[in-house]
Amino acid sequence: MALDKLIKKFINGDASAFDDIYCRTRKCVYYVAFSILRDGALAEDVMQTTYLMVLKNARSYTPGTNALAWIARIAKNEALNVKKLRTRETYVDEQQDAHLFGASNPDGYGELTDLAARVLDEDEFSILMLVTVCGYKRREIGQMLGMPTPTVTWKYNNALSKMRNALKGN
């Protein structure tokens, strides 16, 4: 069932539809937030806030538009808000003090994701994760991130090139 129909079911009182909405969008929401914040725990916090916003504002969604893009935009805005609020805080490098943080990636993608987070810029990381981990098409990613499909393709190719170079250097 399409996300539009699931949101409509949720608005009409079927609370179980939210479980399906979450399952279909959770990876996208996580990686959009992670690409901006570069912190797994913060990305999970943004996920919670995002889904609370979806619950609260489901009636404001315009049926027939791209539901995934709507949810991804909420996640992006929430992540940017968190990033802005944290600009005055002091950060500890997860790579140097990994024992303080435990596992660095809750989805278990390990060293490649950590490497990607270090060598790619925000857009490249988002696009790489959405293509490789979530399986979205470049056209869909362009809609989610608000950029033309050729730009998505160009940034994806740059990300792959940077990852190849970084892996050769390791």
Side-chain angles (χ1 to χ4, degrees):
M1 181 177 293
L3 279 175
D4 274 356
K5 290 181 182 178
L6 288 171
I7 291 175
K8 187 174 183 178
K9 279 179 68 174
F10 177 73
I11 291 170
N12 291 331
D14 184 357
S16 67
F18 187 77
D19 293 339
D20 291 333
I21 293 168
Y22 174 80
C23 287
R24 290 184 183 198
T25 61
R26 69 183 177 84
K27 284 184 180 179
C28 173
V29 169
Y30 175 80
Y31 284 111
V32 165
F34 187 81
S35 69
I36 293 169
L37 299 169
R38 307 293 174 125
D39 181 306
L42 283 177
E44 289 177 354
D45 289 346
V46 167
M47 281 182 72
Q48 290 179 357
T49 306
T50 298
Y51 287 111
L52 288 173
M53 295 295 291
V54 169
L55 286 169
K56 181 179 175 185
N57 298 310
R59 293 191 185 281
S60 69
Y61 171 70
T62 306
T65 60
N66 187 334
L68 183 59
W70 178 68
I71 294 170
R73 180 69 62 190
I74 293 170
K76 181 178 179 180
N77 289 341
E78 289 299 319
L80 290 171
N81 286 341
V82 168
K83 186 176 182 177
K84 182 178 179 182
L85 291 173
R86 295 181 56 91
T87 56
R88 294 185 180 169
E89 295 179 7
T90 303
Y91 294 96
V92 177
D93 185 6
E94 290 179 23
Q95 300 303 317
Q96 292 176 355
D97 299 317
H99 65 282
L100 297 174
F101 298 97
S104 62
N105 187 344
D107 281 342
Y109 291 102
E111 293 180 15
L112 285 175
T113 303
D114 291 341
L115 177 65
R118 285 193 315 269
V119 301
L120 302 177
D121 70 30
E122 195 174 292
D123 284 341
E124 291 169 340
F125 183 85
S126 293
I127 291 166
L128 182 68
M129 292 298 124
L130 290 171
V131 170
T132 58
V133 176
C134 302
Y136 292 110
K137 295 181 172 101
R138 289 168 184 86
R139 175 186 46 81
E140 295 170 321
I141 295 168
Q143 290 173 343
M144 283 186 264
L145 300 179
M147 61 178 66
T149 304
T151 303
V152 172
T153 301
W154 181 78
K155 288 181 181 256
Y156 175 70
N157 290 336
N158 279 347
L160 290 178
S161 177
K162 285 181 181 180
M163 288 298 292
R164 278 188 208 105
N165 290 337
L167 288 170
K168 285 178 187 175
N170 286 341

